Amino acid sequence: MSAARAPSSALTSFVVGSRYLPVYIALLLLVVVASIWAPATLSGVALRAVAPYGAVLGIAALGQMLVIMTGGIDLSVPGTMSLAAVIVVGVGDGSNEHIWVAIATALAAAAVVGLVNGILIGGLKLNGLIITLAVGLIVVGVVNRYGSTFPVQSPVPTGLSDWTSTRILGVSPIFWIGVVLTILLIVGLRYTAVGRRFQAVGANPVASHVVGVRVTVNQILVYVVAAVFYAIAGVALAGLLRTPGVAVGSTYLLGPIAAVVIGGASLTGGLASPLSTFAAALFLTGLNQMLRTMGLPTALQFVVFGVVIIGGMLVSGDRIVRGVEHLLRERRRQGPSQGAILADSADGRAWKEEGM
């Protein structure tokens, strides 16, 4: 029995882990293509310039990943990011003395937005796609009204913008914040009881409720936490841009969703990788930079981006796992050999692990 468990465990790990391979293959292809047609993209200066923007997208994508792990999609990301950025400008009032008050206010306001989403979706069981779109539109309206109360192109406090321009190990501290948040999510989801319960709720809310997990509370909290992630991304983006406008987050509607999909998350909920999601965000940012370096027209850049997103859907984690499982079942049908039995065992255990 012990001899059989090792191969079975290896097959199980392969089935579950195969869903995250495309993003790393995509990163490798990006490096190869850039080295041939746009080598300037891989220069130290270019990488240092791209890293913080990749981290901003990565942080927003991590929040979106948490929502998708519950089987939903959050369309209030642009509004929440814009709200956080504008609050930093308005409450900060250009004074370094108000930096922390402005940041705290931005995070609290975003948490309220997430709480509204969570109550309407998790508590009242309304359609998540429509609710987050509607709440996002309301937030955009609030942002535009609030932004009209101070001069256009007002700057963030210089302390924040100067901090984002500093270098830690050669890279903006925003990048390292993204790395830290990624690590925290990896540890939290994999090694804590709260994280495991959260994954179980996403994979099978009915079964989770039967065993006593507070499904509604988990669903509400996930929108709050996700909104805080969007706010962190919005504050970081405001610091990078120095004078963010009221529509600063408008370009972050599909980017975070694309990063989560390319990162191999299960769109039915329950399974995702923070590391793969953050890597996918870096890939998308690097791809955008490469297209700009190559001098492609904006229209063609949108075409390439759309093709990449469609390609990410075609090789999504769910499709890859189903393909691997099909191969294992075909192997089983070839005969009742030891390897076929092990493949069948791995197939079942992979489904079990995916439902955790």
Side-chain angles (χ1 to χ4, degrees):
M1 293 295 289
S2 60
R5 286 179 183 174
S8 178
S9 177
L11 284 172
T12 301
S13 299
F14 173 73
V15 171
V16 176
S18 61
R19 68 186 310 120
Y20 306 122
L21 291 178
V23 63
Y24 302 106
I25 296 174
L27 278 171
L28 179 61
L29 289 176
L30 177 64
V31 172
V32 172
V33 172
S35 64
I36 297 174
W37 284 293
T41 307
L42 303 178
S43 67
V45 174
L47 292 177
R48 285 193 294 270
V50 167
Y53 290 96
V56 169
L57 177 58
I59 294 169
L62 290 174
Q64 185 71 258
M65 180 199 75
L66 294 174
V67 174
I68 289 179
M69 288 177 72
T70 66
I73 290 181
D74 193 344
L75 299 183
S76 66
V77 179
T80 307
M81 288 182 63
S82 297
L83 177 65
V86 171
I87 286 178
V88 168
V89 174
V91 177
D93 196 25
S95 172
N96 291 336
E97 297 179 357
H98 300 157
I99 289 179
W100 290 110
V101 174
I103 293 176
T105 304
L107 297 181
V112 171
V113 174
L115 182 62
V116 172
N117 280 330
I119 291 175
L120 293 176
I121 298 169
L124 300 182
K125 308 302 179 185
L126 301 180
N127 184 278
L129 198 66
I130 296 175
I131 290 300
T132 55
L133 177 61
V135 171
L137 290 175
I138 294 173
V139 173
V140 169
V142 172
V143 169
N144 280 274
R145 179 66 182 89
Y146 179 61
S148 65
T149 61
F150 46 82
V152 178
Q153 294 299 310
S154 296
V156 300
T158 56
L160 177 61
S161 56
D162 291 343
W163 177 76
T164 60
S165 301
T166 59
R167 295 288 183 267
I168 298 177
L169 299 178
V171 186
S172 170
I174 293 175
F175 175 79
W176 298 114
I177 289 177
V179 171
V180 170
L181 290 175
T182 301
I183 294 173
L184 289 177
L185 280 182
I186 292 173
V187 174
L189 292 174
R190 183 174 298 179
Y191 300 108
T192 67
V194 174
R196 291 182 177 276
R197 282 197 299 269
F198 168 69
Q199 293 184 76
V201 169
N204 196 329
V206 176
S208 299
H209 178 73
V210 169
V211 298
V213 178
R214 303 176 69 179
V215 175
T216 299
V217 173
N218 276 272
Q219 291 176 337
I220 292 175
L221 286 179
V222 73
Y223 281 94
V224 176
V225 174
V228 171
F229 272 74
Y230 309 150
I232 294 173
V235 171
L237 184 60
L240 287 170
L241 298 179
R242 297 177 181 267
T243 56
V246 294
V248 66
S250 59
T251 58
Y252 288 85
L253 177 61
L254 294 180
I257 299 173
V260 177
V261 172
I262 296 173
S266 173
L267 296 180
T268 57
L271 195 64
S273 167
L275 180 60
S276 297
T277 299
F278 193 75
L282 296 179
F283 162 74
L284 290 173
T285 307
L287 175 64
N288 182 61
Q289 180 65 18
M290 185 188 73
L291 296 177
R292 292 175 180 272
T293 302
M294 294 172 65
L296 294 182
T298 302
L300 189 54
Q301 292 181 31
F302 283 128
V303 171
V304 173
F305 244 80
V307 170
V308 169
I309 293 174
I310 293 174
M313 290 296 296
L314 291 175
V315 295
S316 65
D318 293 334
R319 293 174 64 89
I320 289 176
V321 168
R322 284 196 296 267
V324 173
E325 289 170 346
H326 175 73
L327 291 176
L328 292 176
R329 280 192 288 269
E330 288 297 322
R331 180 181 175 185
R332 179 189 60 189
R333 293 193 186 101
Q334 293 176 0
S337 62
Q338 174 92 6
I341 295 173
L342 291 176
D344 187 39
S345 175
D347 185 13
R349 292 178 60 190
W351 274 110
K352 182 179 179 181
E353 183 167 341
E354 188 171 354
M356 284 294 290

